[in-house]
Amino acid sequence: MVYENPDGVKIGLEVHVQLNKLKTKLFCGCSTDYHNDEPNTHVCPVCLGLPGSLPVINERAVEFAIRIGLALSCEIVEQTQFHRKNYYYPDLPKGFQTTQYDYPIASKGKVIIEGEDGERVIRITRAHMEEDPGRLQHIGTIEKSKGTLINYNRSGMTLIEIVSEPDMRSPKEARRYLDKLRSILDYLDVFNGDLEGAMRVDANVSVFGGERVEIKNISSFKGAERALLYEIMRQKNHVRRGGEIVMETRHFDEARGVTISMRTKEAEHDYRYFPEPDLVPLRVAERAPEIQKALPELPDARRERFLRQYEMSNMHARALTNEIKVADFYEDVAGKVNPKDAAVWVADILRGELNYRDLGIDAFAAKDIVTIIELVTENRITEQSGVEVIRTILDHGGKPQDIVKDKGLLKVEDDIVAKAVKEAIAENPEAVTDYLGGKEKSLNFVVGKVMQKTKGRADAREVRERLVKDLNDQS
Ligand code: ZN
Ligand code: MN
């Protein structure tokens, strides 16, 4: 199956990742742990851009950036240099953003995604370091607010901007790329993706080989997919009506699900980039080998290993390696019970129950799922009861053994089931005759009688099997 891409859709993404696991900001010693604090409490002359203050580079931030570059299969530049990107806006009182321009720290990489028609390589143009500006806030909505407030806690946080080539052919591929990127960054332990503003996306999109339009203000991955779907439709309709697509920047209105024209896009020369005289060039490539050696096993490698080592399906391998926490959890469980059982219980059942409740894997203890799997495989509770135990723990807490006892979930002994089956056959001759005469459904009635006799503590599937066997032996 080859994906034809009939509308010639080309999507490129620029993702700003906030390296919020660093302890301090990019050019000053202010703490990055501001997310629960009052506005403007994590600031100093440097990140407020006061005249005369001087930046000092955070060595660990450079290390993180190299780590990300290597994980994206990029080349690490011999020597990098920061530039000033000049623009006037209150989120950056210096009047410029300190960023990297013609010597980005990393370039020419790739990310492999599951595309519309199989594996697909998305090329990474570059990944560069820059400082985060402050955050504008409004009281109520932007239109009704009496003014604009500025919080500089975020100002000077380390960002890495990852720019892709326009290699994605549908909003779905864009979404998969974002998920994959997040997964890789998650493995690298460089950021906490749950914090507000940890990953921010701008998208470029064109159709039929026309001009590209940039979409800003996308706040979530789902938002990215929606914004792109809308924008592609808008461009196609515009072209069909004889219109021309102009290069412009549009704003995504999340609430209405539409993109709105903001301005014609400024060209690069408008920013008057020039080398930052307060920061010396940094020789970085020489650090790469040692950082490469310390890289953890990344999602693709771990998925391959899961396939080989645990002989699971591709779908399970993908589901179990997407998040590093889930992968670790699985391996913990797979070390104690049959890995194949563990894959089904963790990937399908437990994750399903967690997703339904919008919970992460940390909401469940590995030792509890081990106990449940053991109870089921030792045939002491039914699979359905196992699911019930998971649900009970998630909704009310408790230990598997106690729940099994309290709810009377232990399966009845084999000989009791055998006796109940014999009785049910003897007491319901009509249903038995119907069944033997070809009315398959009549068996359900007899199964129901056995379940009544065992107070629901027998496994319905086993009861059915035993009934079929007993009746066939009889006839
Ligand atoms: Zn500061
Ligand atoms: Mn940027």
Side-chain angles (χ1 to χ4, degrees):
M1 183 193 69
V2 176
Y3 180 68
E4 301 280 359
N5 194 11
D7 306 318
V9 171
K10 281 189 183 171
I11 298 167
L13 296 175
E14 289 176 15
V15 184
H16 284 91
V17 182
Q18 197 186 57
L19 305 186
N20 51 28
K21 286 216 173 161
L22 290 164
K23 290 205 170 60
T24 55
K25 294 184 180 179
L26 183 53
F27 299 122
C28 63
C30 288
S31 125
T32 58
D33 188 17
Y34 62 81
H35 288 83
N36 298 316
D37 291 346
E38 291 290 310
N40 299 312
T41 51
H42 292 247
V43 291
C44 73
V46 173
C47 56
L48 285 173
L50 299 189
S53 62
L54 288 170
V56 178
I57 186 89
N58 179 339
E59 187 181 3
R60 198 101 171 98
V62 179
E63 229 175 87
F64 274 29
I66 297 173
R67 206 191 288 175
I68 293 169
L70 291 172
L72 301 177
S73 310
C74 287
E75 292 170 13
I76 303 301
V77 73
E78 207 55 51
Q79 185 168 297
T80 190
Q81 164 77 53
F82 282 93
H83 273 66
R84 292 185 176 185
K85 180 184 183 179
N86 296 281
Y87 68 88
Y88 178 76
Y89 205 58
D91 63 358
L92 250 179
K94 290 191 292 189
F96 60 86
Q97 182 188 32
T98 307
T99 179
Q100 291 173 340
Y101 183 52
D102 43 10
Y103 298 102
I105 193 159
S107 58
K108 298 192 197 107
K110 62 170 195 251
V111 166
I112 296 164
I113 64 161
E114 193 64 15
E116 295 278 358
D117 47 4
E119 272 196 356
R120 185 163 174 82
V121 174
I122 307 300
R123 290 167 299 160
I124 302 294
T125 319
R126 56 188 278 149
H128 68 254
M129 302 174 72
E130 62 189 27
E131 62 184 330
D132 208 349
R135 186 162 174 246
L136 303 187
Q137 288 176 287
H138 299 91
I139 300 167
T141 62
I142 216 171
E143 294 86 6
K144 294 210 176 124
S145 179
K146 283 194 181 142
T148 300
L149 302 167
I150 312 172
N151 181 357
Y152 290 111
N153 281 348
R154 198 179 78 178
S155 172
M157 289 290 286
T158 306
L159 294 180
I160 184 136
E161 179 177 336
I162 301 167
V163 182
S164 85
E165 292 290 315
D167 287 344
M168 287 152 272
R169 302 164 297 176
S170 67
K172 193 165 99 188
E173 287 191 349
R175 174 72 187 268
R176 297 240 172 104
Y177 167 80
L178 291 170
D179 285 338
K180 189 58 174 284
L181 205 55
R182 179 170 171 157
S183 171
I184 294 169
L185 295 165
D186 180 37
Y187 272 62
L188 293 175
D189 199 23
V190 291
F191 87 129
N192 174 355
D194 297 331
L195 290 179
E196 194 267 321
M199 264 177 109
R200 309 195 289 271
V201 182
D202 297 334
N204 291 302
V205 56
S206 65
V207 297
F208 308 128
E211 288 285 358
R212 70 193 171 97
V213 170
E214 189 175 359
I215 314 170
K216 293 216 175 255
N217 189 46
I218 302 173
S219 60
S220 67
F221 291 3
K222 209 167 153 203
E225 209 175 348
R226 281 175 59 221
L228 285 164
L229 278 168
Y230 174 85
E231 180 57 21
I232 289 165
M233 194 184 63
R234 187 194 68 83
Q235 290 187 23
K236 273 161 57 184
N237 289 340
H238 193 63
V239 171
R240 284 205 189 101
R241 289 194 209 102
E244 208 181 314
I245 304 294
V246 290
M247 193 161 165
E248 62 173 344
T249 300
R250 298 177 72 87
H251 169 102
F252 181 53
D253 183 333
E254 185 111 46
R256 291 195 291 149
V258 300
T259 64
I260 300 151
S261 183
M262 285 166 77
R263 55 185 143 105
T264 47
K265 194 171 162 46
E266 59 288 290
E268 212 133 74
H269 62 252
D270 293 332
Y271 289 121
R272 299 284 189 276
Y273 280 95
F274 68 87
E276 165 61 70
D278 291 338
L279 288 162
V280 292
L282 294 173
R283 297 170 59 88
V284 284
E286 59 197 41
R287 302 279 317 267
E290 131 223 15
I291 294 173
Q292 176 91 52
K293 253 191 263 161
L295 276 190
E297 184 183 39
L298 293 168
D300 286 337
R302 197 158 192 188
R303 178 165 51 89
E304 293 293 329
R305 180 166 65 77
F306 274 25
L307 284 170
R308 273 197 325 270
Q309 185 175 343
Y310 303 115
E311 297 174 9
M312 60 175 68
S313 69
N314 219 326
M315 210 180 68
H316 278 163
R318 225 172 261 290
L320 291 170
T321 54
N322 193 24
E323 272 181 76
I324 191 167
K325 274 194 238 164
V326 175
D328 290 345
F329 183 97
Y330 169 75
E331 292 216 87
D332 190 0
V333 176
K336 294 173 184 120
V337 297
N338 180 327
K340 283 185 183 168
D341 293 331
V344 173
W345 280 91
V346 177
D348 298 339
I349 304 172
L350 179 59
R351 272 179 67 252
E353 297 297 330
L354 290 168
N355 288 344
Y356 177 71
R357 291 164 179 79
D358 213 10
L359 292 171
I361 197 81
D362 344 39
F364 210 84
K367 68 173 179 12
D368 286 349
I369 196 76
V370 167
T371 306
I372 293 166
I373 296 170
E374 280 170 353
L375 286 167
V376 173
T377 50
E378 284 163 11
N379 216 15
R380 290 166 57 208
I381 63 173
T382 64
E383 218 177 283
Q384 194 48 46
S385 296
V387 176
E388 197 181 330
V389 175
I390 292 177
R391 289 180 180 154
T392 309
I393 292 176
L394 287 173
D395 296 336
H396 309 287
K399 291 197 176 96
Q401 293 92 333
D402 297 342
I403 295 166
V404 165
K405 214 204 257 161
D406 293 350
K407 295 193 165 233
L409 298 175
L410 271 189
K411 271 164 79 171
V412 287
E413 303 295 323
D414 237 26
D415 47 342
I416 298 178
V417 178
K419 185 167 158 266
V421 165
K422 290 222 158 49
E423 283 173 16
I425 290 173
E427 288 162 14
N428 301 283
E430 258 175 60
V432 168
T433 315
D434 284 352
Y435 169 72
L436 292 174
K439 266 177 86 179
E440 286 276 338
K441 274 192 178 164
S442 302
L443 193 65
N444 295 341
F445 179 79
V446 191
V447 171
K449 290 290 169 199
V450 178
M451 297 306 283
Q452 260 175 30
K453 285 175 182 296
T454 55
K455 300 195 173 65
R457 285 157 58 213
D459 183 323
R461 203 179 50 210
E462 280 169 28
V463 167
R464 172 173 294 272
E465 278 164 14
R466 195 182 282 267
L467 266 171
V468 170
K469 187 174 166 296
D470 279 14
L471 289 172
N472 286 343
D473 288 351
Q474 260 182 33
S475 59

